[in-house]
Amino acid sequence: MKQNTFGKAVIYLLIMTVICGFLYTAFITIIAQLVFPSQANGSLIEVDGKKYGSELLSQQFTGDSHMWGRMTNLDVTTFTDETGKRLSYASPSNLSPSGDEFSELVQQRIQVIREANPQMKDTPIPVDLVTCSGSGLDPHISPAAAQYQVARLAKANHLSEEDIHHIIQQCTKGRFLGVFGEKTVNVLQVNLMLEGIL
């Protein structure tokens, strides 16, 4: 009797493993590839067969000719690929907003932003340019943060400010369903357009 019960349990386990572990996974994968192929494959930006990054992950830009995103805490000591090459990884800072270390970090960032954008003089810096996102990998900034960089980008790329405004507008995403969240600007898309790639 016990052997019979044990045998049934093993059969049920195998059936559930096949259903939940294989069939369900295959079904969801097929649906995702059919309905949301870009999102299912990481929302990669690919031009002429070359991948430039994901719309969902930030990249750090520091040159005058590029739009800057939010602060990232890059770590190149944790992960390596198969060849031993170090891979970049970002994470939140976990610093307390009321702590001295966080205040010093923000003040340093303010100084860097002011030096890079002298045309803006004493114009208040949008908060997302001097703080890190919760994930440390947010690829978006606010329209205000994008507009703050227009004069520098126009000068460095030998374009008019109107051209930069147009690029920003093309890379701005509205609120979800017109109600939820805020408008955002994708930094990677802006920079690829500035480089003439998109």
Side-chain angles (χ1 to χ4, degrees):
M1 188 70 171
K2 287 182 179 179
Q3 288 181 345
N4 191 27
T5 304
F6 178 76
K8 285 182 179 180
V10 171
I11 291 171
Y12 289 142
L13 176 64
L14 291 174
I15 290 171
M16 292 308 294
T17 299
V18 170
I19 292 173
C20 298
F22 297 101
L23 297 180
Y24 175 77
T25 304
F27 174 75
I28 294 299
T29 301
I30 291 168
I31 293 298
Q33 291 293 337
L34 291 174
V35 181
F36 307 108
S38 176
Q39 293 89 333
N41 293 302
S43 298
L44 298 177
I45 298 176
E46 185 174 342
V47 180
D48 297 330
K50 183 175 180 180
K51 296 178 177 69
Y52 289 93
S54 171
E55 294 178 22
L56 307 177
L57 296 173
S58 68
Q59 295 184 29
Q60 189 173 39
F61 295 95
T62 56
D64 285 341
S65 61
H66 289 102
M67 178 170 282
W68 295 5
R70 300 194 70 166
M71 291 171 53
T72 56
N73 299 305
L74 295 177
D75 173 12
V76 293
T77 61
T78 305
F79 300 106
T80 58
D81 63 12
E82 306 83 34
T83 63
K85 180 182 176 183
R86 290 181 174 179
L87 302 178
S88 180
Y89 171 79
S91 63
S93 67
N94 292 326
L95 297 176
S96 169
S98 61
D100 293 337
E101 192 176 351
F102 179 81
S103 297
E104 290 174 12
L105 186 64
V106 169
Q107 289 303 317
Q108 290 172 6
R109 179 70 170 189
I110 288 173
Q111 184 177 349
V112 170
I113 295 288
R114 290 239 185 264
E115 289 175 358
N117 299 276
Q119 306 90 335
M120 299 307 289
K121 299 180 181 177
D122 294 329
T123 303
I125 301 172
V127 69
D128 45 330
L129 286 179
V130 296
T131 57
C132 186
S133 67
S135 66
L137 294 168
D138 191 348
H140 301 97
I141 56 175
S142 65
Q147 298 298 334
Y148 186 89
Q149 304 176 66
V150 166
R152 170 175 58 81
L153 292 172
K155 181 180 179 183
N157 289 286
H158 308 292
L159 297 169
S160 69
E161 291 192 11
E162 289 74 19
D163 291 334
I164 303 298
H165 284 297
H166 182 64
I167 289 173
I168 291 172
Q169 186 61 39
Q170 289 180 279
C171 300
T172 299
K173 187 175 181 180
R175 297 180 176 191
F176 179 64
L177 299 177
V179 178
F180 301 104
E182 299 294 334
K183 290 184 177 181
T184 57
V185 179
N186 190 286
V187 175
L188 177 58
Q189 289 178 338
V190 169
N191 287 328
L192 290 177
M193 290 187 74
L194 288 172
E195 292 180 12
I197 295 171
L198 283 182

